Amino acid sequence: MHPKRKRNLAATVALLPTWFAAIVVYIGTMVWSIRLSFTDSTLFPSSNYVGFAQYAKLFSSSKWIASLQNVLVFGVLYVAGCLALGFLLAAALDRKVRFESAFRTIFLYPYAMSFVVTGLIWQWMLNPTFGIQASIRSLGWESFVFDWVVNRDMAIYALVLAGVWQGAGLVMVIALAGMRGIEGEQWKAAQIDGIPVWRIYVSIILPQLGPALAAAGMLLAMGVIKTYDIVVAMTNGGPGSSTEVPAKFIMDNLFGRQNLGLATAGATVLVLGVIAAVAPFRYAMHMRNRPRGAA
Amino acid sequence: MKTMMKLFLAGVALVAVLGPARAEDKPTIEIMSSWTSGGEAAALNVIRTEFEKRGGVWKDSSIAGFGAADAAFQNRIVAGDAPGAKQGVIGLAAADFVNQGLMNPIDDVATAGKWADTLPKSIHALISYNGQVYLSPTGAHGESWVFYSKEAFAKVGITEEPKSWDAFFSALDKLKAAGIVPVAWGGQAWQQTKVFNMVLLSQVGIDGFLKIYVDKDKSEASVEGVKKTLDILGKLRAYVDEGSPGRNWNDATAMVITGKAGVQFMGDWAKGEFTVAGKQPGKDYGCMIAPESEGMVYVADALWFPKTGNAETDKAQKLLAEVVMDPAVQVEFSLKKGSIPMRGDVDKSRLDACAQKGLELMSAGKIVPDQAIVLTPQQVGALDDFVDEFWSDASADAATSAKAFFEIFE
């Protein structure tokens, strides 16, 4: 046998388990789920196909529609909030403050916590009967109101608050690393020109951090789709369906409500949504990289 | 050296073979339940103690939260690693599992113990599927209860239990004026649905209730009954505190125990919490059936016995089924959990005042089943959504919502 082909064979054999895992575990289960979404499966998988009936049911469910709206509001505010706060924290630490490493640790600490813990802490703090509201009222400010977590219109923002508290530290670390990579010469040049510090950050530093912040934003956005634990810990989707999210809708139907068909239809919609959001982005990246190689 | 090694390996192999065999001498069962709160755990322990006394080995896999335990159970079933026993509700909830052939019947135990004679007919029907008994019932819970703090009632001068909703609301007004939280509300979907049901029963009566939930009747009378129920539910919104959304039932019970709140609508398992806190029924707290209600909503728990393919476990399941239905165990369990014994032939004298009231209604047949018994899990979920949505939206119109109610059966 040709030595090159032999080497290829060895490599192929070595890769087989990985291929097997990728095809069976990832693609296989995905195809299986999509197949189930076209059946009338309840507690157990059935092979009685019902076409798009589950999807029709899904989109006529006000709870599912509410969950999509909620995850959109939460996602945009959470990612934007983390990026903004993380950048500000990084900029503040970048000013060569004293005890920088101590602050860095403190700000990054929440990220080391699970969403469940974060959710529970904030649920307690925001609970009007024994949290921040009750404490401030006991200090004498009787009319103080901070009841986001039990308020139908504000509960989703309570989730954002907790999420940003947790995620901003990650952005801070990435942004700070980016800032430290920027040459000191640029600072000197800008200062000679008499540009104010805030302007340097906005017009000179921020554009150079683009890739770093995009990576951080991508990491956070992936978390948004999976949002489940923080909701369960903080509000359990309530009051009403004001903080219901798709992942929770799917889990509820998968188990408690024994509605496999509807749950897998929801999961399929979610996957298609992610693909629809990511595909244009990937395509743009691909197009931007191609001219260098092709031309 | 080599022989030493061989001997050693042979010894290890021998121990490995004998070890598990010795453990299997005793019927071993792994039981999965969601009974983790104080009173619930104590009740489960009653079964455990008797089971162990009769030579069984007990492995507890309890998971807090009914939904979480259910999800874990389904995962184990699908993975082919079913636990030996699972605590669940009687009726439709178990039907899918039985019809898929995943459960072991315990018909011989039931026949030997003459369950058909000692259990109420309706209960016996709900633990049998296709003519065979599959579930071993632990106890029934009344769900039409209003628990109230005697201390709070005395403080504001309420001397007798309100018999009508009008009287009830004026009592709540008095509590509110005195700065006491009138209703300790657990703002979770399932708890709210229980309140909806007990109010519904008070408005449409036993026949009307069964018509709606069992026959799915959408007639004028049914719609009107739901509307009147929603009116009362809507009025209650003004009597709960702002910390209520998402509150656990036992936290709400604690508010009544400490006298911070006046009343709580809850199933009689709340008594377990009172008992753990050292409170006496009739002395420290009172229990009344919801105003204007001619009967009581009930739910009944049982142990389910999944097929494990292990003969030892099968034996343990039969033993456990027997233990659960033992008359002494039934009473002791009920005392701890706050439930009503399933058997009609037990020693009633040890039951407290509330349980005796419940047992009276039960033996008079003045009971209607909880939604978990007569509706599929999907419909139960839709009902939870419906009540939750109405409750949390103060601007919801009762008449419009009442018509939408019947969509939960689709």
Side-chain angles (χ1 to χ4, degrees):
Chain A
M1 201 187 278
H2 197 271
K4 199 179 167 190
R5 198 177 285 168
K6 198 170 170 187
R7 205 171 59 216
N8 276 347
L9 185 74
T12 312
V13 169
L15 275 175
L16 264 180
T18 313
W19 273 111
F20 180 77
I23 289 172
V24 173
V25 177
Y26 292 103
I27 304 189
T29 48
M30 210 187 279
V31 169
W32 174 254
S33 297
I34 294 172
R35 188 190 81 92
L36 283 182
S37 73
F38 291 103
T39 65
D40 63 354
S41 307
T42 53
L43 174 56
F44 297 101
S46 99
S47 42
N48 184 18
Y49 290 92
V50 291
F52 283 91
Q54 301 284 15
Y55 291 87
K57 203 170 155 199
L58 188 66
F59 280 96
S60 66
S61 153
S62 59
K63 205 167 183 178
W64 172 254
I65 304 292
S67 74
L68 289 180
Q69 287 165 345
N70 289 339
V71 83
L72 199 68
V73 171
F74 173 78
V76 169
L77 291 179
Y78 166 71
V79 173
C82 285
L83 289 179
L85 186 63
F87 180 77
L88 287 177
L89 288 174
L93 288 184
D94 192 41
R95 300 307 298 154
K96 310 222 164 41
V97 291
R98 224 187 275 192
F99 308 123
E100 183 201 311
S101 67
F103 280 117
R104 211 170 45 204
T105 310
I106 291 171
F107 293 144
L108 188 60
Y109 230 84
Y111 193 71
M113 269 179 220
S114 74
F115 260 138
V116 173
V117 177
T118 305
L120 280 175
I121 293 172
W122 281 90
Q123 190 218 349
W124 288 328
M125 292 212 296
L126 295 179
N127 185 306
T129 47
F130 51 78
I132 295 173
Q133 177 177 317
S135 318
I136 295 206
R137 281 189 183 179
S138 70
L139 292 177
W141 187 1
E142 294 290 336
S143 60
F144 180 78
V145 175
F146 189 39
D147 62 350
W148 286 11
V149 82
V150 296
N151 184 327
R152 212 176 145 84
D153 301 318
M154 299 302 289
I156 190 80
Y157 303 112
L159 288 181
V160 173
L161 187 64
V164 168
W165 175 78
Q166 202 220 28
L170 174 76
V171 178
M172 177 201 72
V173 173
I174 295 176
L176 192 59
M179 284 177 189
R180 292 287 148 85
I182 290 169
E183 285 170 44
E185 305 295 317
Q186 296 185 15
W187 272 100
K188 282 182 193 148
Q191 271 158 353
I192 289 168
D193 286 345
I195 301 171
V197 172
W198 68 269
R199 191 67 206 271
I200 300 178
Y201 274 109
V202 172
S203 302
I204 298 176
I205 309 286
L206 190 57
Q208 295 187 65
L209 288 183
L213 290 179
M218 199 64 185
L219 283 174
L220 295 171
M222 284 193 301
V224 168
I225 306 289
K226 296 187 293 189
T227 307
Y228 173 74
D229 25 17
I230 193 169
V231 177
V232 170
M234 251 178 104
T235 62
N236 205 16
S241 51
S242 57
T243 53
E244 185 74 22
V245 287
K248 182 173 167 292
F249 180 96
I250 292 167
M251 284 297 282
D252 284 353
N253 278 291
L254 208 51
F255 296 108
R257 302 190 176 185
Q258 301 183 354
N259 203 342
L260 216 47
L262 192 66
T264 47
T268 307
V269 170
L270 214 53
V271 167
L272 291 178
V274 172
I275 291 174
V278 172
F281 182 70
R282 292 296 303 234
Y283 186 69
M285 296 284 275
H286 178 71
M287 290 306 279
R288 209 169 61 182
N289 289 338
R290 207 171 57 171
R292 283 183 216 156
Chain B
M1 191 62 217
K2 224 173 184 182
T3 20
M4 283 283 282
M5 198 67 196
K6 267 184 189 162
L7 266 176
F8 174 70
L9 282 177
V12 169
L14 194 68
V15 170
V17 168
L18 291 182
R22 207 178 314 128
E24 274 173 21
D25 281 352
K26 287 184 167 181
T28 305
I29 202 150
E30 181 193 354
I31 169 152
M32 206 169 198
S33 89
S34 61
W35 288 334
T36 50
S37 86
E40 293 171 339
L44 189 61
N45 216 27
V46 171
I47 299 178
R48 176 189 187 145
T49 311
E50 182 65 25
F51 182 71
E52 283 174 345
K53 210 191 275 167
R54 297 193 194 177
V57 177
W58 178 281
K59 283 193 208 156
D60 198 333
S61 301
S62 292
I63 295 171
F66 201 80
D70 264 7
F73 176 66
Q74 284 167 36
N75 274 337
R76 297 268 307 258
I77 285 258
V78 171
D81 174 34
K86 159 82 168 61
Q87 158 244 330
V89 172
I90 65 170
L92 268 187
D96 256 1
F97 292 98
V98 172
N99 293 334
Q100 293 279 335
L102 293 166
M103 293 287 157
N104 271 334
I106 46 165
D107 214 36
D108 42 349
V109 181
T111 317
K114 298 203 171 63
W115 290 10
D117 305 329
T118 53
L119 290 173
K121 265 208 174 61
S122 59
I123 302 287
H124 192 262
L126 286 166
I127 58 167
S128 309
Y129 304 84
N130 318 319
Q132 277 198 303
V133 176
Y134 277 84
L135 315 179
S136 185
T138 51
H141 280 292
E143 299 190 328
S144 285
W145 294 104
V146 180
F147 294 96
Y148 59 91
S149 157
K150 289 232 161 184
E151 185 197 325
F153 269 31
K155 207 196 249 170
V156 299
I158 305 165
T159 46
E160 60 177 22
E161 296 178 353
K163 293 278 175 292
S164 68
W165 283 107
D166 287 338
F168 187 76
F169 278 112
S170 71
L172 293 186
D173 283 330
K174 280 186 198 156
L175 288 165
K176 200 176 180 182
I180 297 169
V181 178
V183 181
W185 189 264
Q188 294 173 341
W190 69 272
Q191 298 184 53
Q192 292 163 178
T193 304
K194 301 239 181 272
V195 183
F196 172 86
N197 273 347
M198 68 176 94
V199 180
L200 181 67
L201 179 61
S202 79
Q203 296 303 302
V204 300
I206 288 173
D207 294 336
F209 191 94
L210 293 175
K211 242 189 196 165
I212 290 174
Y213 278 123
V214 179
D215 307 335
K216 325 279 192 261
D217 171 69
K218 297 182 198 178
S219 70
E220 203 67 16
S222 294
V223 178
E224 183 58 26
V226 173
K227 186 194 161 282
K228 282 199 288 193
T229 304
L230 293 178
D231 281 335
I232 291 173
L233 206 60
K235 254 172 111 176
L236 280 172
R237 288 194 200 107
Y239 298 96
V240 308
D241 66 319
E242 51 180 352
S244 63
R247 180 182 286 144
N248 289 319
W249 68 267
N250 44 349
D251 295 334
T253 309
M255 291 172 71
V256 180
I257 292 175
T258 55
K260 257 188 227 153
V263 308
Q264 183 191 12
F265 299 94
M266 193 35 65
D268 53 16
W269 50 86
K271 276 192 311 186
E273 297 297 303
F274 283 103
T275 308
V276 169
K279 302 284 179 185
Q280 297 285 328
K283 196 169 126 248
D284 304 306
Y285 69 97
C287 51
M288 54 181 257
I289 292 287
E292 299 172 22
S293 192
E294 57 169 315
M296 164 176 94
V297 186
Y298 83 94
V299 71
D301 293 307
L303 291 185
W304 306 1
F305 301 105
K307 277 192 181 137
T308 58
N310 180 339
E312 286 301 323
T313 310
D314 290 354
K315 227 186 270 171
Q317 287 177 339
K318 301 238 153 104
L319 177 62
L320 184 57
E322 208 179 281
V323 167
V324 164
M325 275 289 282
D326 181 271
V329 170
Q330 286 258 316
V331 173
E332 200 58 41
F333 179 91
S334 293
L335 288 175
K336 290 274 174 1
K337 190 149 188 294
S339 58
I340 305 164
M342 285 291 191
R343 299 177 71 112
D345 58 350
V346 295
D347 178 12
K348 296 181 183 83
S349 63
R350 292 184 59 209
L351 300 174
D352 61 56
C354 307
Q356 285 187 2
K357 262 192 224 179
L359 198 57
E360 220 170 86
L361 289 170
M362 192 131 189
S363 40
K366 287 186 176 168
I367 49 169
V368 291
D370 173 272
Q371 73 275 11
I373 297 174
V374 287
L375 298 184
T376 65
Q378 284 110 292
Q379 291 167 336
V380 171
L383 175 63
D384 282 345
D385 286 351
F386 170 81
V387 178
D388 194 23
E389 205 43 52
F390 178 81
W391 173 262
S392 60
D393 180 7
S395 63
D397 174 52
T400 329
S401 300
K403 288 203 187 82
F405 169 80
F406 296 89
E407 286 165 17
I408 66 166
F409 300 122
E410 278 154 19

